[in-house]
Amino acid sequence: MSATQTFSRHDVSFASGDSTCAAWLYLPTGVASPPVVILGHGLGAVREMRLDAFAERFAEAGIAALAFTYRHFGDSGGQPRQLLSIGRQLADWDAAIAHVKTRDDLDGTRIAVWGSSFGGGHAITIASRHSELRAAVSQCPFTDGLASALAVGPTASFKVMPLVARDLVAKLRGSAPAMIPLAGAPGTQALMNAPDALPGYLALVPSGMPFRNEVAARVIPTIVRHRPGRAAKDVRMPILFCVSNTDTVAPPAQTLKYARTAPHGEIKQYDAGHFEFYLGDPFEELVRDQVEFLSRHLEPVEAREMS
């Protein structure tokens, strides 16, 4: 696969549940039936928040890329807006895989998944459920809700419970959700309030793009119970874990414990923080490692047999 491949980008959408997910499809120019990697983002994030940067590099390496936005966010469908449902997001991944298998401009037998942050946890879960995948990449993954909650501190977790209760009442009444910020300043009520969370999160939003820094509060109890890292032991294909040594959102010690249980796991550790992975030198190092990994595992079977 060429490291200087040109590509084209196409606006596409695919059905998921009762609505649709909006996506970008990157196709390497002149490559017949390229392999494809599916990219999904993190907590409340949309594909415009630097998924394009990774997708472009994969396409330049001859790997098609489908970068999608979850239902209820951005320009994807789904009501109410800003609803973060783990079950629905996993269903969106299933739908994305089904979609690429139907396309005659892709090789549906050579598929990988790539997830970052909360999506990094999803990538582990999805890889454990889809044995037909060739490879997976889990970047700065959220692997254990309890570990993340303890990192924030029990006092902070307790303070948000009245807001959770208010949103659950809103759900029962069919009224507008009660929202909590996705990222906030230290000491404020937010899903992420480490010192680097708010500036790091907002740095990913393109200039001039409207973005809602909030999510329905009802998701908080499900996040605390969510432990996708446990599925790592069931991932049968090669999976690359890109771990931040200084991660303030997804504690690296717990992530590394899970990553070491993957039968064919590869682990890369970086000194950059959770929100630094998407920009500058850390991005260049990460995407270089990921291109090498994906190129190695998405090559045609004939080429693998000859090597």
Side-chain angles (χ1 to χ4, degrees):
M1 297 178 184
S2 170
T4 57
Q5 182 71 49
T6 58
F7 62 88
S8 57
R9 190 179 90 176
H10 309 267
D11 293 326
V12 301
S13 65
F14 55 88
S16 182
D18 58 358
S19 191
T20 58
C21 291
W24 291 321
L25 177 64
Y26 292 76
L27 290 173
T29 305
V31 180
S33 297
V36 59
V37 56
I38 300 168
L39 294 87
H41 219 319
L43 204 66
V46 294
R47 68 188 185 281
E48 289 85 354
M49 296 167 67
R50 295 289 291 174
L51 288 196
D52 50 348
F54 287 91
E56 287 171 5
R57 295 298 182 88
F58 300 149
E60 287 172 356
I63 302 168
L66 181 79
F68 75 94
T69 297
Y70 300 109
R71 282 176 292 167
H72 305 280
F73 293 93
D75 57 350
S76 289
Q79 292 293 335
R81 304 308 295 169
Q82 303 303 112
L83 175 67
L84 201 166
S85 163
I86 293 170
R88 292 188 185 200
Q89 292 196 348
L90 291 172
D92 292 344
W93 279 96
D94 291 336
I97 293 171
H99 174 72
V100 300
K101 288 180 178 178
T102 67
R103 298 190 65 98
D104 57 11
D105 50 1
L106 302 172
D107 184 345
T109 69
R110 292 189 288 155
I111 303 172
V113 292
W114 179 105
S116 189
S117 193
F118 207 65
H122 290 337
I124 300 170
T125 301
I126 290 299
S128 75
R129 296 177 179 178
H130 286 268
S131 60
E132 76 275 19
L133 297 176
R134 283 285 197 89
V137 176
S138 182
Q139 174 175 290
C140 56
F142 173 98
T143 56
D144 193 294
L146 182 59
S148 292
L150 291 174
V152 172
T155 302
S157 299
F158 181 75
K159 285 181 178 179
V160 302
M161 295 318 294
L163 186 58
V164 173
R166 193 158 74 243
D167 189 38
L168 290 174
V169 170
K171 178 182 179 182
L172 291 173
R173 292 178 174 173
S175 53
M179 299 290 183
I180 186 170
L182 289 157
T188 63
Q189 285 191 357
L191 292 187
M192 300 177 286
N193 61 6
D196 61 337
L198 183 59
Y201 202 77
L202 295 181
L204 307 182
V205 181
S207 177
M209 188 191 87
F211 176 72
R212 294 179 64 180
N213 180 26
E214 60 183 5
V215 69
R218 70 194 67 168
V219 73
I220 293 173
T222 64
I223 288 178
V224 174
R225 296 193 303 267
H226 190 44
R227 306 178 82 178
R230 288 180 167 183
K233 66 182 184 303
D234 300 317
V235 176
R236 298 303 169 192
M237 73 286 301
I239 179 169
L240 174 64
F241 296 92
C242 298
V243 181
S244 162
N245 292 327
T246 59
D247 203 315
T248 59
V249 174
Q254 188 62 55
T255 294
L256 290 169
K257 286 181 183 178
Y258 287 130
R260 293 182 184 117
T261 69
H264 304 287
E266 299 180 28
I267 300 171
K268 296 276 189 178
Q269 294 178 244
Y270 306 85
D271 290 330
H274 186 91
F275 298 96
E276 295 176 319
F277 273 16
Y278 306 89
L279 301 162
D281 291 340
F283 164 76
E284 295 295 341
E285 183 179 3
L286 275 156
V287 78
R288 183 169 58 247
D289 290 343
Q290 292 169 6
V291 165
E292 187 280 327
F293 173 83
L294 291 170
S295 297
R296 182 164 24 107
H297 294 293
L298 290 176
E299 65 182 357
V301 173
E302 317 85 74
R304 297 170 72 182
E305 291 174 345
M306 292 174 62
S307 61

